Amino acid sequence: MDHQPAVMKYVTQNTLDLFHSDHLVRICAPMVRYSKLAFRTLVRKYDCDLCYTPMIIAADFVKSVKARDSEFTTNQGDRPLIVQFAAKEAQVLADAASLVSPFASGIDLNCGCPQRWAMAEGYGACLINNPELVSDMVKQVRNQVGDPGFTISIKIRIHADISRTVDLCRKAEAAGVSWITVHGRTHDERHQPVHYDAIKSIKESLSIPVVANGDVKSLKEAENIREITGADGVMAARGLLANPAMFAGYEETPLACIQDWIDITLEHGTPFTCLHHHLIYMMERITSKQEKRVFNVLSSTSAVLDYLRDHYGIQ
């Protein structure tokens, strides 16, 4: 319960207030299939300040009630919350933003997804090569959503020529973007080292908050990245999947966190596949190869619950 008031207090506050303190803003990244309501509920218990939904295709979301119902679920404790959209048309993004504005703290435009299908459709990382379109989308959301506290951010990858990225960011800032998250790799880099120097250059070129993203595996690393880059916040994806309690300073997933995950998923009616996949990630560092062979092929919630009770005393 001790974490609950911190979550609730931002329901009525401008999310940007998070960035206007000396506190390192700790953020759960948008993750396809993974950063859904149940997982957001879990990481918020362990000092995560701000959560993103998985990426949602704005055009589908605007057109289809079915897409809205399946892609976006929230509740009152799920704040502050950023809904991430893939979009390539200003009006479509603004319409999607209008639909979620009563239920979220802001939206984020995905300008970083490097997957081939996204770039072929004109989404994701290809948008970093079209600063005018990005600026236009930011302006359109600003004009259409009347609430001044509703944020519009962008998440980008970098160019090989960092001056192009700085130019993009300055144009987005001039258009009214609230903050920019920078994944410090180019669109064709996957596991290469993150270019923290590039994030530092971007931070030094802007007056709005900048969030660093890429290879954040522990709270200590998050704090080091802040030191190196000057970033106002740090966003984690795989690091939080492996250890949802990472931002609370745990080096590996504590058993209390696994217990919390079971309680939350049972309460939310989370599908088995989702419940199980998250546990496989969480238990990666704390189980032997032999245990993994058994646990990873369990095929029902009851089998998982029995295993956790018998091996870890988790009820």
Side-chain angles (χ1 to χ4, degrees):
M1 282 305 291
D2 55 333
H3 292 275
Q4 198 60 21
V7 172
M8 298 309 289
K9 110 182 139 182
Y10 287 111
V11 173
T12 54
Q13 272 189 355
N14 185 329
T15 307
L16 266 175
D17 291 347
L18 278 173
F19 293 100
H20 295 148
S21 72
D22 291 337
H23 171 75
L24 173 67
V25 184
R26 303 161 188 191
I27 304 171
C28 176
M31 291 178 275
V32 176
R33 292 188 302 280
Y34 291 118
S35 52
K36 295 191 170 181
L37 177 59
F39 188 68
R40 299 195 299 265
T41 305
L42 179 66
V43 295
R44 289 184 195 281
K45 286 194 72 151
Y46 290 91
D47 293 353
C48 187
D49 300 308
L50 180 61
C51 293
Y52 282 53
T53 67
M55 181 183 78
I56 298 167
I57 307 286
D60 296 344
F61 193 81
V62 169
K63 272 191 291 217
S64 157
V65 174
K66 189 177 174 191
R68 294 201 281 280
D69 289 344
S70 66
E71 298 282 337
F72 179 56
T73 313
T74 187
N75 61 24
Q76 195 185 357
D78 187 30
R79 301 287 186 281
L81 176 67
I82 304 301
V83 182
Q84 192 190 61
F85 286 113
K88 54 187 174 182
E89 295 161 291
Q91 189 56 58
V92 172
L93 181 63
D95 289 344
S98 296
L99 286 167
V100 298
S101 63
F103 312 103
S105 314
I107 65 142
D108 183 81
L109 173 62
N110 184 316
C111 303
C113 179
Q115 291 184 30
R116 226 176 266 124
W117 73 265
M119 294 185 70
E121 292 283 335
Y123 297 132
C126 68
L127 288 173
I128 65 173
N129 299 317
N130 197 338
E132 282 69 28
L133 176 57
V134 171
S135 298
D136 191 34
M137 288 200 267
V138 170
K139 283 179 194 160
Q140 189 76 6
V141 173
R142 279 264 171 264
N143 291 339
Q144 193 160 318
V145 180
D147 177 2
F150 190 78
T151 61
I152 161 81
S153 53
I154 62 173
K155 183 172 186 289
I156 65 169
R157 281 187 173 237
I158 59 171
H159 300 85
D161 174 2
I162 197 62
S163 66
R164 292 183 64 199
T165 320
V166 168
D167 176 63
L168 163 75
C169 292
R170 283 179 170 154
K171 283 175 173 159
E173 179 178 35
V177 84
S178 306
W179 70 81
I180 297 175
T181 300
V182 184
H183 183 113
R185 292 186 176 100
T186 63
H187 76 83
D188 53 0
E189 290 178 326
R190 291 295 181 275
H191 303 294
Q192 290 88 335
V194 176
H195 302 283
Y196 293 118
D197 54 333
I199 300 176
K200 183 174 192 274
S201 297
I202 292 163
K203 172 61 190 166
E204 288 170 351
S205 306
L206 304 175
S207 55
I208 54 171
V210 169
V211 172
N213 174 225
D215 283 358
V216 184
K217 301 279 169 52
S218 69
L219 179 58
K220 194 169 188 299
E221 273 185 29
E223 286 163 348
N224 286 343
I225 290 163
R226 182 201 207 177
E227 287 294 312
I228 296 163
T229 62
D232 305 276
V234 171
M235 176 184 281
R238 283 179 305 217
L240 276 178
L241 281 183
N243 177 9
M246 177 184 91
F247 283 142
Y250 291 91
E251 291 297 314
E252 57 188 29
T253 311
L255 291 183
C257 182
I258 294 171
Q259 178 73 67
D260 284 334
W261 175 242
I262 294 301
D263 294 345
I264 289 164
T265 51
L266 293 178
E267 188 184 327
H268 283 250
T270 302
F272 167 72
T273 316
C274 177
L275 175 152
H276 191 217
H277 278 180
H278 274 290
L279 285 170
I280 290 170
Y281 277 112
M282 285 182 214
M283 294 168 67
E284 172 69 27
R285 293 184 205 163
I286 59 174
T287 49
S288 66
K289 276 186 179 171
Q290 193 177 354
E291 286 177 315
K292 285 184 184 66
R293 274 199 293 272
V294 176
F295 184 79
N296 294 2
V297 296
L298 296 176
S299 57
S300 71
T301 299
S302 57
V304 164
L305 295 179
D306 288 347
Y307 183 95
L308 292 175
R309 186 191 62 231
D310 296 345
H311 289 76
Y312 297 100
I314 290 170
Q315 297 302 315

